[in-house]
């Protein structure tokens, strides 16, 4: 890695975010200019040095993206003194170090120390890298979270999941099936963080006791189904051959802007047209629309489940007994609740509840896009409620300025997805 003065983009945003969290700068604009150079020099203590972020400098910034540091206990240290040194509460320090009593600190012992800010950023573009850092940071702060991978993408990025809760009733929320709908990733991760905070502190989330939710439900979240595509859209470094192939694919569809119009995985397969629920009909419709080869969007692939990302979601679902699923997309502020003539018990009633708490419209999926989606397959296979939530309004990718309003609208859906299953 080598990022220098004059560079722009998502990696620069991450540098600025880390420097901001460390207290050295205020603005995050994605431009590596004079202010960023001054902040970097102050952070590294190397005034007058070349204004460059290489691998060694990057490693010093990463804790401010993960949201924690590892501290080696010194003779005479106490929980109180360590917490005060890092401007955090003793409760936060103890939560991150379960099983270590404040009276039993020993020199040389390693502690996880949360830093004094929330882990999930709301003002930078997301990527596979940032998603991994955020999940690592949440797991470090809240030991009761379970994390792992459901599989890998084409470019071998992990498809991370988070589990919160230990109840018997399982649910599944996912986001960013489509690359340029990546804003759904921070949307859903913010809920995970606020839910974890509420549970840890004995508070309520969305008006409901978080400890009660935790005891009764196991919520699984996959915040980024399409990491390769998101990295492409947001300008993260990816395999050169894969990038060039994506650019060739896009050139065959000049009406779709590149890379901002890219929805597919890195091989040009639309991940939400990969499920065995009317796949042949989806193929007929999309071929008639001109999507007959790998494309930035709407290409169904050569067969169902040939894309590893869709296959991973499919297999993960088979391994569980999800009572309800939410698939997050953008945009339109609409809730799609039905597949063909399948109407699982209470599915429309729950959809109406979601509409009431969010202000979103409740509609049946348009015929032109009503097959081969994850929600479609789930409803058809399990006869249980499944929903596609189209958050926000405008042209994808939606600006981050919409995120606060999107979260306010969807908090009731996130919580309601659990309580509405009984």
């Amino acid at each position: 890695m080598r990022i220098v003065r004059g560079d722009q983009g998502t990696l620069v945003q991450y540098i600025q975010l880390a420097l901001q969290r460390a207290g050295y700068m205020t603005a995050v604009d994605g431009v590596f200019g004079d202010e960023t150079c001054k902040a970097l020099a102050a952070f590294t203590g190397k005034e007058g040095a070349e204004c460059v972020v290489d691998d060694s400098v990057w490693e010093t910034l990463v804790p401010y993206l993960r949201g924690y540091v590892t501290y080696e206990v010194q003779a005479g240290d106490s929980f109180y003194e360590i917490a005060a040194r890092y401007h955090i509460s003793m409760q936060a320090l103890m939560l991150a170090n379960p099983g270590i009593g404040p009276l039993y600190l020993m020199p040389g012992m390693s502690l996880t120390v949360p830093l004094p800010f929330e882990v999930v950023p709301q003002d930078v573009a997301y990527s596979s890298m940032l998603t991994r850092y955020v999940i690592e940071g949440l797991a470090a702060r809240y030991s009761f979270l379970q994390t792992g991978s459901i599989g890998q993408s084409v470019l071998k990025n992990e498809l991370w999941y988070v589990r919160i809760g230990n109840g018997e009733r399982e649910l599944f929320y996912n986001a960013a099936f489509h690359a340029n709908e990546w804003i759904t990733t921070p949307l859903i991760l913010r809920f995970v963080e606020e839910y974890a905070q509420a549970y840890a502190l004995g508070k309520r989330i969305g008006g409901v006791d978080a400890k009660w939710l935790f005891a009764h439900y196991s919520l699984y979240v996959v915040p980024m189904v399409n990491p390769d595509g998101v990295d492409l859209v947001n300008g993260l470094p990816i395999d050169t051959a894969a990038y060039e192939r994506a650019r060739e694919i896009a050139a065959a569809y000049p009406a779709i802007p590149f890379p901002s119009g890219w929805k597919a995985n890195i091989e040009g397969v639309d991940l939400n047209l990969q499920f065995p629920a009317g796949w042949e009909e989806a193929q007929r419709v999309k071929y008639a629309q001109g999507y007959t080869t790998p494309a930035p969007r709407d290409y169904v692939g050569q067969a169902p489940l040939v894309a590893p990302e869709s296959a991973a979601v499919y297999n993960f679902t088979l391994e569980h007994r999800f009572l309800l699923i939410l698939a997050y997309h953008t945009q339109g502020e609409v809730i799609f609740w039905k597949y063909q003539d399948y109407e699982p018990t209470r599915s429309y009633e729950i959809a109406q509840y979601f509409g009431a708490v969010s202000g979103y419209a409740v509609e049946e999926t348009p015929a032109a896009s009503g097959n081969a989606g994850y929600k479609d397959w789930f409803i058809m296979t399990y006869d249980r409620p499944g929903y596609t939530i189209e958050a926000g309004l405008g042209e994808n990718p939606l600006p981050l300025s919409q995120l606060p309003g999107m979260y306010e609208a969807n908090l009731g859906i996130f919580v309601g997805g659990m309580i509405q299953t009984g």
Side-chain angles (χ1 to χ4, degrees):
M1 175 180 294
R2 184 175 174 83
I3 306 169
V4 301
R5 184 197 299 264
D7 284 346
Q8 299 184 31
T10 301
L11 286 177
V12 177
Q13 288 183 17
Y14 297 168
I15 293 167
Q16 293 172 332
L17 174 66
L19 292 170
Q20 181 188 65
R21 286 174 163 183
Y24 290 94
M25 70 180 301
T26 56
V28 175
D29 61 8
V31 179
F32 201 151
D34 290 344
E35 182 183 356
T36 305
C37 284
K38 291 176 182 177
L40 184 64
F43 174 79
T44 60
K46 297 178 180 179
E47 299 286 346
E50 186 181 11
C51 190
V52 174
V53 174
D54 57 16
D55 288 344
S56 62
V57 175
W58 179 261
E59 287 305 310
T60 66
L61 294 167
V62 165
Y64 294 92
L65 300 177
R66 289 194 180 108
Y68 72 93
V69 297
T70 301
Y71 176 78
E72 183 177 322
V73 176
Q74 306 296 309
D77 276 342
S78 69
F79 261 50
Y80 174 81
E81 290 167 334
I82 296 169
R85 188 177 308 153
Y86 285 93
H87 309 289
I88 61 173
S89 68
M90 282 188 60
Q91 185 177 32
L93 186 59
M94 293 174 70
L95 275 171
N97 298 277
I100 301 178
L103 300 180
Y104 297 95
L105 289 183
M106 305 260 315
M109 183 180 288
S110 181
L111 294 181
T112 297
V113 182
L115 297 174
F117 48 79
E118 293 184 345
V119 177
V120 180
Q122 304 286 300
D123 55 355
V124 296
Y126 269 65
S127 64
S128 59
M129 173 194 293
L130 183 61
T131 300
R132 173 169 59 88
Y133 289 155
V134 166
I135 289 176
E136 289 172 350
L138 291 174
R141 290 190 182 206
Y142 304 108
S143 61
F144 51 81
L145 294 178
Q146 297 180 25
T147 64
S149 171
I150 69 168
Q152 292 184 325
S153 69
V154 171
L155 297 181
K156 306 305 181 185
N157 282 308
E158 300 294 339
L159 307 182
W160 299 107
Y161 78 84
V162 180
R163 174 185 173 177
I164 181 167
N166 56 20
E168 294 183 358
R169 305 179 71 82
E170 295 186 326
L171 302 96
F172 180 36
Y173 300 171
N174 55 66
F177 259 95
H178 289 146
N180 64 356
E181 299 173 8
W182 58 263
I183 196 172
T184 56
T185 297
L187 175 68
I188 209 166
L189 282 173
R190 178 178 171 185
F191 173 68
V192 171
E193 181 165 29
E194 291 198 358
Y195 181 6
Q197 288 173 343
Y199 172 74
L201 300 176
K203 295 184 177 182
R204 301 169 78 84
I205 178 81
V208 181
D209 178 21
K211 289 189 178 295
W212 183 86
L213 289 173
F214 193 95
H216 287 83
Y217 303 96
S218 290
L219 174 62
Y220 293 82
V221 172
V222 173
M224 186 176 287
V225 175
N226 187 2
D228 302 347
V230 172
D231 286 353
L232 176 68
V233 168
N234 284 332
L236 269 288
I238 62 174
D239 177 81
T240 302
Y243 178 84
E244 290 302 323
R245 174 58 180 148
R247 191 165 63 174
E248 289 175 5
I249 290 170
Y253 297 86
I256 302 174
F258 180 78
S260 64
W262 193 276
K263 294 174 64 176
N265 78 349
I266 198 64
E267 293 184 323
V269 177
D270 192 315
L271 299 180
N272 204 40
L273 290 171
Q274 270 279 285
F275 291 86
W279 180 86
E280 292 79 4
E281 176 61 15
Q283 182 188 49
R284 185 192 67 79
V285 170
K286 297 305 179 184
Y287 272 37
Q289 294 173 352
Y291 298 102
T292 59
T293 60
R297 54 177 295 163
D298 291 334
Y299 175 60
V300 300
Q302 294 182 339
L305 303 175
V306 296
E309 301 91 346
S310 299
V313 172
Y314 174 88
N315 290 325
F316 187 64
T317 305
L318 293 179
E319 294 166 1
H320 293 271
R321 190 177 181 274
F322 296 131
L323 300 182
L324 177 147
I325 64 94
L326 300 178
Y328 265 85
H329 292 256
T330 58
Q331 47 73 37
E333 296 190 348
V334 61
I335 299 163
F336 295 122
W337 66 281
K338 189 178 179 182
Y339 174 60
Q340 294 185 354
D341 293 329
Y342 294 91
E343 295 189 29
T345 302
R346 295 195 65 238
S347 60
Y348 183 65
E349 177 186 340
I350 294 172
Q352 290 293 106
Y353 173 86
F354 287 164
V357 297
S358 65
Y360 285 8
V362 175
E363 298 179 4
E364 296 184 18
T365 309
S369 56
N371 289 286
Y374 174 64
K375 176 265 294 178
D376 307 327
W377 169 76
F378 180 83
I379 292 173
M380 183 188 75
T381 303
Y382 294 102
D383 194 30
R384 297 177 194 145
Y387 304 92
T388 296
I389 314 293
E390 298 279 1
L393 289 172
E395 181 178 346
N396 293 327
L398 298 181
L400 282 165
S401 59
Q402 288 203 23
L403 194 54
M406 288 169 60
Y407 185 75
E408 183 179 353
N410 283 277
L411 178 58
I413 297 179
F414 290 138
V415 175
M418 289 181 274
I419 62 176
Q420 288 296 313
T421 61

